[in-house]
């Protein structure tokens, strides 16, 4: 959330061009899946990112899913 706010408050990146930057962030935790694979963790973060974008963008979504292996969908 701190990173999202910092980007949002950066202001214009070009002279005389009104541009507002925002980011969406997807977060997954190793604690949520202590026996899971690295690929499974990336998949969880990727899903959380898509959830953030679908929620209207400019937000942070933390995965509450538990995926124990990379082959799970």
């Amino acid at each position: 959330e701190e990173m999202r706010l910092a980007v949002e408050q950066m202001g214009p990146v070009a002279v005389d061009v009104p541009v507002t930057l925002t980011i969406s962030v997807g977060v997954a935790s190793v604690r949520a899946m202590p026996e899971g694979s690295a690929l499974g963790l990336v998949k969880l973060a990727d899903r959380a990112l898509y959830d953030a974008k679908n929620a209207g963008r400019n937000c942070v979504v933390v995965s509450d899913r538990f995926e124990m292996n990379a082959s799970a969908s």
Side-chain angles (χ1 to χ4, degrees):
E1 182 63 16
E2 289 178 26
M3 182 183 352
R4 187 200 63 76
L5 284 172
V7 169
E8 185 178 48
Q9 295 171 356
M10 285 175 49
V13 294
V15 177
D16 298 328
V17 179
V19 176
T20 302
L21 294 178
T22 62
I23 61 171
S24 294
V25 179
V27 179
S29 171
V30 173
R31 290 182 185 176
M33 47 177 288
E35 297 173 14
S37 68
L39 184 56
L41 181 63
V42 170
K43 284 184 172 188
L44 288 176
D46 188 54
R47 282 194 215 146
L49 174 58
Y50 279 99
D51 290 346
K53 290 179 178 182
N54 289 329
R57 302 184 182 228
N58 194 30
C59 64
V60 176
V61 172
V62 177
S63 176
D64 60 355
R65 296 179 179 110
F66 299 95
E67 182 173 307
M68 297 311 289
N69 61 57
S71 62
S73 56

